[in-house]
Amino acid sequence: MRRRTWVTALGAAGLGALAGCAESADETPEAFEVSSPELAADGSLPNRFTCYGAGDSPPFVIDRVPTPTEGLAVVAELDSGGITDPVFWTLWNVPADTERIPADLPRTPTLPSLGDARQGRPEGGDAGYEPPCPELGQSYTVRFQVYALGARLDAEAGTDHDTATEAIGDAVLASRRFTADFERTPTP
């Protein structure tokens, strides 16, 4: 099992187990809240965010960031049901006070428009969002996970996705997940 999958699962379980223990009933902190105006409520991934559309990265709206968040991160991976799922986007060191991660981020290692946030890359590929690209008749389930991090990460801009996801997993305070399905169908 890859460490990032185990760390992510452990972090989410640990946060859930401790949620009622850290504060009294009168001091319960508000939950980390993330939404996406472009990811459909029915769970399908719009064509715009695939290689058959514009290949844009999706937007996210961030609200109620938990204390002491030092940065935000996004990891997108295919949900193949395996122990190691292919990662196609890592984004980290987004400033904690960011309210919106816009769609269609440039495919560059560093994003000055997001406070010099950093993006990872697939092995042998370019940094940034690599849109899902199933073959005709093949379906994908895609997971987008948005994280509140307890520390800014030292991982270099343009590092490989595995290194980035491991660093993200080590700093998670809270997370929110979006799952979307996509199947390439023949055009009429």
Side-chain angles (χ1 to χ4, degrees):
M1 178 183 280
R2 283 168 76 178
R3 183 169 183 238
R4 71 175 169 81
T5 302
W6 182 81
V7 168
T8 301
L10 180 62
L15 286 171
L18 295 175
C21 300
E23 304 281 339
S24 72
D26 295 334
E27 299 174 1
T28 303
E30 294 184 37
F32 182 41
E33 189 174 302
V34 180
S35 60
S36 178
E38 298 283 340
L39 294 179
D42 66 359
S44 63
L45 185 65
N47 204 43
R48 171 184 178 194
F49 306 116
T50 73
C51 71
Y52 301 105
D56 295 341
S57 59
F60 296 97
V61 177
I62 316 298
D63 194 19
R64 295 194 304 216
V65 175
T67 302
T69 298
E70 293 292 325
L72 302 168
V74 178
V75 174
E77 60 190 339
L78 299 179
D79 185 354
S80 63
I83 293 173
T84 59
D85 292 319
V87 174
F88 60 91
W89 187 31
T90 51
L91 169 67
W92 66 95
N93 287 352
V94 176
D97 62 353
T98 300
E99 295 178 354
R100 182 173 174 82
I101 297 172
D104 192 23
L105 293 173
R107 293 197 65 183
T108 57
T110 304
L111 298 168
S113 65
L114 278 178
D116 288 331
R118 300 170 182 177
Q119 296 188 99
R121 60 169 179 74
E123 190 171 321
D126 295 326
Y129 181 79
E130 181 69 37
C133 199
E135 295 179 19
L136 187 62
Q138 182 181 18
S139 62
Y140 278 6
T141 299
V142 179
R143 282 192 310 255
F144 295 96
Q145 192 97 5
V146 182
Y147 296 97
L149 305 177
R152 290 188 55 82
L153 305 180
D154 291 332
E156 293 292 326
T159 194
D160 64 272
H161 290 316
D162 286 343
T163 301
T165 56
E166 195 167 311
I168 291 166
D170 289 343
V172 173
L173 292 175
S175 68
R176 290 294 175 254
R177 176 182 291 181
F178 297 85
T179 303
D181 295 319
F182 179 76
E183 181 175 357
R184 182 180 173 213
T185 55
T187 51

